[in-house]
């Protein structure tokens, strides 16, 4: 009878651990849920997701997807900041002339190349997936 109770308690403990582990996985970050196999997949998972490129970051038996996690989690797991890929969007204005003030009769005196109808004229945008750059005027 005692042997049956020990087995029952053992199996109940194992079952509880499996259930608890399943809930812990489901409650993880979007980065972990993405199960990313490479950096590109990882940074598309969310704005706070980063990829640890440090060659010896993974523990033995850990899947490649463990390189993808929240930035704070990667730091706490020992990935140096310089080894975390986490690109941010940016904007660089290359040409920004004022829009031509078109008074009645004044436009005829301007050469077409001197008329500006949109502002800015040239810019470079570097975007990360799911990132919005807002132009404030």
């Amino acid at each position: 009878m005692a042997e049956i109770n020990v087995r029952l308690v053992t199996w109940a403990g194992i079952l509880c651990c499996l259930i608890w582990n399943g809930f812990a996985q489901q409650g993880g970050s979007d980065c972990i849920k993405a199960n990313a196999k490479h950096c590109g997949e990882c940074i598309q998972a969310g704005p706070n997701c980063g990829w640890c490129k440090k060659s010896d970051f993974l523990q033995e038996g850990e899947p490649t997807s463990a390189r993808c996690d929240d930035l704070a989690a990667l730091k706490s797991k020992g990935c140096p900041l310089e080894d975390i890929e986490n690109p941010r969007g940016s904007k660089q204005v290359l040409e920004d002339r004022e829009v031509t003030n078109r008074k009645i009769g004044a436009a005829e005196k301007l050469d077409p190349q001197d008329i500006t109808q949109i502002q800015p004229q040239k810019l470079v945008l570097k975007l990360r997936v799911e990132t919005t750059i807002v132009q404030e005027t």
Side-chain angles (χ1 to χ4, degrees):
M1 184 71 167
E3 186 178 318
I4 293 174
N5 286 338
V6 170
R7 284 185 180 175
L8 181 63
V9 169
T10 303
W11 280 110
I14 291 171
L15 183 60
C16 286
C17 287
L18 290 172
I19 291 170
W20 177 258
N21 191 25
F23 283 127
Q25 287 288 343
Q26 288 178 351
S29 72
D30 289 338
C31 310
I32 294 170
K33 289 178 186 176
N35 197 25
K37 303 290 185 266
H38 56 79
C39 181
E41 285 182 355
C42 178
I43 63 171
Q44 290 181 24
N48 293 321
C49 296
W51 179 266
C52 185
K53 60 183 182 179
K54 184 178 177 188
S55 59
D56 61 348
F57 174 71
L58 295 176
Q59 301 295 320
E60 188 174 330
E62 262 189 310
T64 303
S65 61
R67 291 184 179 278
C68 182
D69 207 340
D70 292 321
L71 302 177
L74 288 173
K75 289 178 197 172
S76 70
K77 291 178 185 176
C79 188
L81 191 57
E82 63 270 9
D83 286 331
I84 297 175
E85 287 292 331
N86 182 31
R88 293 291 173 205
S90 66
K91 170 187 71 169
Q92 179 185 9
V93 177
L94 300 178
E95 189 175 337
D96 191 19
R97 293 185 315 272
E98 290 291 322
V99 175
T100 304
N101 185 3
R102 303 191 72 180
K103 297 178 184 172
I104 296 175
E108 293 86 33
K109 297 177 187 175
L110 294 173
D111 289 329
Q113 67 270 15
D114 296 330
I115 297 173
T116 302
Q117 297 180 337
I118 192 168
Q119 185 180 12
Q121 294 77 38
K122 291 183 185 178
L123 54 103
V124 175
L125 297 176
K126 293 182 181 179
L127 302 177
R128 175 185 171 134
V129 174
E130 297 183 19
T131 300
T132 304
I133 297 179
V134 178
Q135 174 71 37
E136 295 181 22
T137 55

